[in-house]
Structures are given as structure tokens and as C-alpha cells.
Amino acid sequence: MSPKKEISLKTRVLSKNDQLAQKLRERFKEEKIRCINMIGSPGSGKTSLLETAIPRLKAGTRCAVVEGDVKTDNDARRILKAGAPSVQIETEGGCHLNGEQVIRAIGALSLNSINLLIIENVGNLICPVSYDLGEEKRVIVSSITEGDDKPLKYPSAFTSSQALIITKVDLAPYVDAKVEKLKNNALSLNPKLEVFCTSSRSGEGFNALVRFLQCNGPKENAVEA
Ligand code: MG
Ligand code: ZN
């Protein structure tokens, strides 16, 4: 296949996803749901941070989680235990979530009873970046144990996100990486990133993170209108 053909095929696949993402975005708007697409490496602490954050959300925020993993529904079970409805997508080898999978997954949720949907993407810093899931905000999760040069190595995950959650900061003394350096590397690529430095173990940084996730309710606004 010539390079030209490869490019046009990729464009076609992505634009199909873009159409589905547009549908999702309209659906979320109708239902007054804020959607957050969470991207990060396997083991970066995405599920742990949700387990810590969910019980701290104020009553007005009604959150559900779509979990993406290659196999198992372990994470969906963890989220249910933490107190939020959750649906697992098992991608059976797929290394990212696409709009079609998310449309199917949200069919299992009662959308009129939530105002915040968090999608925990498959652990991967590469192709999830190219798949819009209709989110309002994209969040990149990066643990200090992965090293402080991650933004320089995988820039698009950081440049396409609106917020960076640095996890496992309690482990910084034990690894050859600095939280400030990770933060500054990310900000050098994307100065608009909102940055949260957290530890799911100690709860450090969660007041600010919960305020960020919190829905001052699109649904409450609708009642006022
Ligand atoms: Mg997980
Ligand atoms: Zn992929």
C-alpha cells in the first residue's frame, strides 16, 4: 500500500469516530452531563485516584464511570465499591476506546440520574489521544514513578489535555524523579494545563482535584433556568 493510501484510510477511520464523538457530545449536552476522558499509562493510578475522589464528591455531583481495559471487569467492580455506577468495556486486545464502544457502554447507565461521566481510557499514551469520545475535558494522569520526562516523550497526550493529574507524589522520595520537573516539563508543552499533585494513599491534593471534578451541576443550572 502506498503511503498516500494509508493516510487516507486513517483519515476515514478517524472521521467516522469524530461523527460518533459528535453524537456523544450532543447526547451529553441534552442530558446535562459533563464528560471527562481520562488518559494515562497502565499502572499510573487512574482507578485508585477515582476510588479516592468519588467518596469525596459533594452530594450535588452524581458521577458514573466507564472503565476501559483489555480484559477483566476488576476496575468497574472497584468503582462500584467506591460508590459510583460503573460499566466495564473489555476491548479484547484493543489499545484505546472509541466512540462506538462508549455509546454502547452508556446504554447500560441511567444517564438522567448523573451529571458527571468519567471515562477511564485503556492504559496507553499513544492512540487514545486520536480518539475523541465527546468529552468536555481530557485529563492526563501521570505518576511520578513513571519518571519526570514523560511529557517530553509522549507530548500529544499532554498537549491535547486540559488538566494533568500527577499521582503517587508520596513515592517521589523513593524514585529518581521530581514532581516539580514533571510539572514544568508538561507546562513547557502546554502552559494552559491545570495541574494537580496527588497521592491516593495520603489524600494529598484531593481537595483541589475534587473541586475540579465537582459538578456545580449543569443539572442544577437547568433547574434554575
Ligand atoms: Mg484502571
Ligand atoms: Zn489503540
Side-chain angles (χ1 to χ4, degrees):
M1 196 188 262
S2 73
K4 203 176 165 190
K5 273 182 189 156
E6 279 179 38
I7 289 163
S8 72
L9 185 63
K10 191 179 176 204
T11 309
R12 230 174 29 239
V13 170
L14 287 184
S15 69
K16 185 199 164 202
N17 187 73
D18 284 344
Q19 286 170 17
L20 296 173
Q22 195 46 42
K23 269 192 189 162
L24 278 165
R25 195 163 278 117
E26 283 161 17
R27 187 79 198 283
F28 294 144
K29 201 177 164 196
E30 266 167 40
E31 301 275 357
K32 314 247 184 314
I33 292 170
R34 248 186 107 202
C35 177
I36 290 178
N37 181 5
M38 193 178 269
I39 292 175
S41 319
S44 56
K46 300 182 293 301
T47 313
S48 297
L49 92 83
L50 292 176
E51 284 176 312
T52 306
I54 285 166
R56 295 170 190 234
L57 294 168
K58 297 264 157 52
T61 305
R62 293 176 300 278
C63 172
V65 178
V66 170
E67 281 288 343
D69 280 296
V70 173
K71 269 276 179 202
T72 83
D73 61 355
N74 289 357
D75 285 0
R77 289 168 190 271
R78 286 169 62 185
I79 297 300
L80 282 171
K81 257 196 191 156
S86 180
V87 193
Q88 182 76 46
I89 299 172
E90 286 185 70
T91 62
E92 303 290 343
C95 47
H96 58 268
L97 295 181
N98 61 43
E100 200 175 346
Q101 290 165 318
V102 173
I103 287 172
R104 222 178 303 136
I106 62 172
L109 291 169
S110 93
L111 293 184
N112 57 11
S113 62
I114 64 165
N115 55 11
L116 174 65
L117 180 72
I118 300 177
I119 301 171
E120 183 189 329
N121 219 307
V122 179
N124 178 351
L125 292 178
I126 306 166
C127 40
V129 173
S130 309
Y131 286 81
D132 185 358
L133 301 178
E135 69 266 20
E136 179 194 300
K137 285 201 167 137
R138 187 176 286 182
V139 170
I140 167 80
V141 176
S142 198
S143 65
I144 193 59
T145 53
E146 295 168 71
D148 49 30
D149 57 353
K150 200 89 326 166
L152 308 178
K153 290 176 172 172
Y154 298 90
S156 57
F158 292 81
T159 53
S160 71
S161 293
Q162 286 77 47
L164 161 65
I165 305 174
I166 300 175
T167 55
K168 310 187 191 183
V169 298
D170 55 311
L171 297 180
Y174 308 104
V175 294
D176 197 12
K178 300 250 178 314
V179 173
E180 265 319 282
K181 201 165 173 196
L182 172 53
K183 182 178 169 179
N184 289 335
N185 279 335
L187 289 172
S188 74
L189 297 169
N190 182 356
K192 288 186 178 158
L193 273 176
E194 245 184 288
V195 183
F196 302 92
C197 300
T198 67
S199 162
S200 298
R201 279 238 157 136
S202 69
E204 181 182 342
F206 272 82
N207 286 344
L209 180 61
V210 162
R211 270 198 303 278
F212 169 77
L213 294 174
Q214 198 84 0
C215 278
N216 300 316
K219 264 184 184 146
E220 288 159 13
N221 290 346
V223 174
E224 279 164 24

